[in-house]
Amino acid sequence: MDPFVAFSVFTFGLCFGSFLNVCIYRMPRGLSVSRPRSACPNCKSMIPFYDNIPVVSWLLLRGRCRKCKTRISARYVLVELLTAAMFLICYRYFGLSAAFIKYATLSFLLIGLIFTDAETKLLPDKLTLTGLGLGLFFSVLVPVNDLASQVLPGLVNLPVSSDVGWRLMSFVDASLGAMAGASFIYGAGAIYLRARGIEGMGFGDVKLMGMIGAFLGLKLTVLTIFAASIAGSIFGVSTVLAVWVRRTRRLMQRSHLSAMQARKRAWQSAQLVYRNYEMPFGVFLGSMALLALFFGEPFLKWYWGLL
C-alpha cells in the first residue's frame, strides 16, 4: 500500500465514522442528520469544531463534554476507528478502484446498522433501503461473480456483447441475493411467529438481508445467514447460561438456599430472560456479512475441498 494513500483513506474513514455516529444517534429518533449542528445530549450546548475532531477530541476531553462534564460513550471512538479500519482493509484488498468504493460503502452501512441495532433494536430504512439500491447499482460496475454468472451463461446464449453480458449477469446475481436473503429472513420470522405467537424478526432484518444480498450475491448471502444463525445461537445460549450461573450464586449467598434449590429457581429466571429478551439479530447478520466479504470465498473453497 502507498503510505500517503493509506493515510488519506484512513483519515477519510475517520470522518465518515464521525458522520456515522450522527446517523446512529439521530436516525432511530427521526431527526435530521444534517441539522442542527452536533450538541451534547445532556446540556444541549453546541459542540465547536475543535471538539468534533474524530478520536482526537474524545481523547483530549477524556471522554467528557467540555461544558457539563457528562461522560461521552466510547462507542463514538469505536465507530470512527472501526470505519477507518474497514476503509483501510478495503483499500488493501481492492486498491483505489470501483470495488474499493463499493465495499467501503457496504462496510460503512453495515457498521452503522450494527451499532444502531445494538443500541436501539432498530434498523433504519434510510440505511437499509438506500443500501439495497446502492448494492444493485454497484452490481453493474463491479462484478458479483456468483451463482448466476456461473450457471446462466451455459443455459442461455445471450445476444449481447461480453461487456453488457457480465453486467447483466452481475445484476441478476445481486437481485437473486437480495431476494433470497430477504425471503429467508421473512420466512424464518413467519415460522417463529406462528410457532411461538410472538414476533421473532422484524422487517428491518428482512431489509438488511436484502441489502447484504444485493452487495454480496446469492452464495455469500446464504453463507452470511447460516453463520449469523450459528453466532446468534451461541450468543443466546451463552446469555442464558450466564444468567443462570449468576443468579444461582446470588440465591445461594443472599437467600441461603441449597445448590439444588438455587439452580432450579435460577433456571426459571434464565428461561424468562430467554423468552423476553429481544436479540438484535441485525448485529450478527451485519458482522457475518463483513466476514463473508473478505473470507467467504476462501472458506467456501476450503469447505468444498473437504467434500
Side-chain angles (χ1 to χ4, degrees), residues 102-241:
K102 173 180 179 177
Y103 294 119
T105 300
L106 175 60
S107 301
F108 171 85
L109 293 168
L110 287 177
I111 292 170
L113 289 163
I114 287 169
F115 281 90
T116 303
D117 196 30
E119 289 191 4
T120 66
K121 308 295 191 298
L122 295 173
L123 294 166
D125 288 349
K126 289 182 179 179
L127 292 179
T128 55
L129 295 183
T130 301
L132 173 60
L134 287 173
L136 294 175
F137 169 75
F138 275 120
S139 69
V140 300
L141 301 178
V142 180
V144 175
N145 290 328
D146 207 340
L147 191 62
S149 60
Q150 300 171 24
V151 176
L152 290 184
L155 301 177
V156 181
N157 186 18
L158 297 173
V160 295
S161 66
S162 59
D163 182 65
V164 174
W166 79 254
R167 295 181 194 277
L168 178 60
M169 288 300 100
S170 183
F171 183 79
V172 171
D173 289 333
S175 301
L176 286 174
M179 289 186 290
S183 299
F184 188 95
I185 296 298
Y186 180 81
I191 293 172
Y192 188 90
L193 177 62
R194 176 162 295 187
R196 302 197 58 182
I198 57 175
E199 187 177 278
M201 294 184 188
F203 277 101
D205 294 315
V206 174
K207 298 167 190 173
L208 171 59
M209 274 313 304
M211 183 195 86
I212 291 171
F215 272 93
L216 299 185
L218 181 60
K219 186 167 53 179
L220 293 183
T221 296
V222 174
L223 176 62
T224 297
I225 291 173
F226 279 99
S229 300
I230 293 171
S233 299
I234 293 173
F235 176 82
V237 171
S238 300
T239 301
V240 170
L241 291 177

